[in-house]
Amino acid sequence: MTGFFTQVNRLWRAAMTGVCFALFGLGGLLLSVVWFNLLLVAVRNKQRRRKLARRSISASFRLFLAVVKGVGVLDYRIEGQAILGQERGCLVVANHPSLIDYVMLASVMPETDCMVKSALLRNPFLSGVIRSADYLINDQAEKLLPACRQRLQQGDTILIFPEGTRTLPGKK
C-alpha cells in the first residue's frame, strides 16, 4: 500500500503544482490589468498609491503562499520574519534562484521597494504592478543612485536581487 500512496501523493502534488502555477499567472494578470491599473487611475496621491500597491502585493503573496502550503505543493518556514517586517531605511540583498524568493520576502515585507529589470515593464503580468508600486527600474543609472538614496532616507526598505539585475558583459 505504501507504493500506492506514494504514487497518489506524487500525482496530487503534480496536479496542484499546475493549479498553483495557473493561479499565480492568472492572479497576477488579473491584479495587474484590473487592480493595479485602477490604483493608477483612481489614487492620485503617489505615496498613498505606492503604499496601497505594496500592501496589496504583500497580501496577495501571503494568500498565494497559504494556498501553496495548504494543498501540499510547498512547505516553508521564514526565519526572522518579524525583523524583515520591521526594517526601515535599509537594503535587503537576496539571492534570486527563482521567483518564489521574491514572493516569500514581499509577503512578510508589506511596504518594501524593489529594484527591477526594465524588461519587466513590457511584461503584461507585471507592468501594472511595477508602475503602481513605483518600483525602482535598473536601466536609468544616472537616476537610480539618487533615487535609492532618497528612498532610503525616507525610510523605505529596498529589496535587491543582484543576480536578476546585473548588467550584460560588454554593456554599460
Side-chain angles (χ1 to χ4, degrees), residues 95-152:
N95 195 3
H96 198 32
S98 70
L99 182 59
I100 198 71
D101 54 339
Y102 168 68
V103 171
M104 288 180 169
L105 286 169
S107 75
V108 297
M109 299 171 69
E111 293 184 38
T112 193
D113 205 336
C114 190
M115 188 177 300
V116 298
K117 293 190 286 189
S118 61
L120 294 177
L121 286 171
R122 295 186 298 274
N123 182 320
F125 293 89
L126 301 174
S127 62
V129 177
I130 293 167
R131 288 183 289 119
S132 188
D134 193 30
Y135 283 162
L136 295 160
I137 310 300
N138 75 341
D139 71 342
Q140 301 169 341
E142 58 281 342
K143 295 179 184 177
L144 187 59
L145 191 56
C148 289
R149 184 178 298 120
Q150 176 198 14
R151 291 185 187 194
L152 288 171

Side-chain angles (χ1 to χ4, degrees), residues 15-129:
M16 289 300 104
T17 298
V19 167
C20 289
F21 269 106
L23 175 66
F24 188 85
L26 292 172
L29 182 61
L30 184 64
L31 285 169
S32 187
V33 169
V34 178
W35 176 246
F36 291 107
N37 282 316
L38 183 63
L39 283 178
L40 284 168
V41 172
V43 182
R44 302 313 305 161
N45 181 299
K46 188 175 182 178
Q47 296 293 15
R48 186 164 184 268
R49 182 177 58 238
R50 280 175 48 174
K51 186 174 187 170
L52 282 169
R54 292 175 183 182
R55 286 180 177 251
S56 298
I57 291 166
S58 184
S60 64
F61 285 162
R62 281 192 307 275
L63 176 63
F64 175 74
L65 289 171
V67 169
V68 170
K69 193 171 192 174
V71 298
V73 169
L74 182 66
D75 191 24
Y76 64 91
R77 182 180 69 243
I78 300 174
E79 295 183 20
Q81 181 174 343
I83 295 168
L84 287 171
Q86 295 172 0
E87 285 297 325
R88 297 288 179 261
C90 66
L91 290 174
V92 175
V93 182
N95 195 3
H96 198 32
S98 70
L99 182 59
I100 198 71
D101 54 339
Y102 168 68
V103 171
M104 288 180 169
L105 286 169
S107 75
V108 297
M109 299 171 69
E111 293 184 38
T112 193
D113 205 336
C114 190
M115 188 177 300
V116 298
K117 293 190 286 189
S118 61
L120 294 177
L121 286 171
R122 295 186 298 274
N123 182 320
F125 293 89
L126 301 174
S127 62
V129 177

Side-chain angles (χ1 to χ4, degrees), residues 154-167:
Q154 70 188 25
D156 283 7
T157 299
I158 300 176
L159 180 57
I160 300 175
F161 297 100
E163 293 178 22
T165 56
R166 66 179 167 226
T167 56

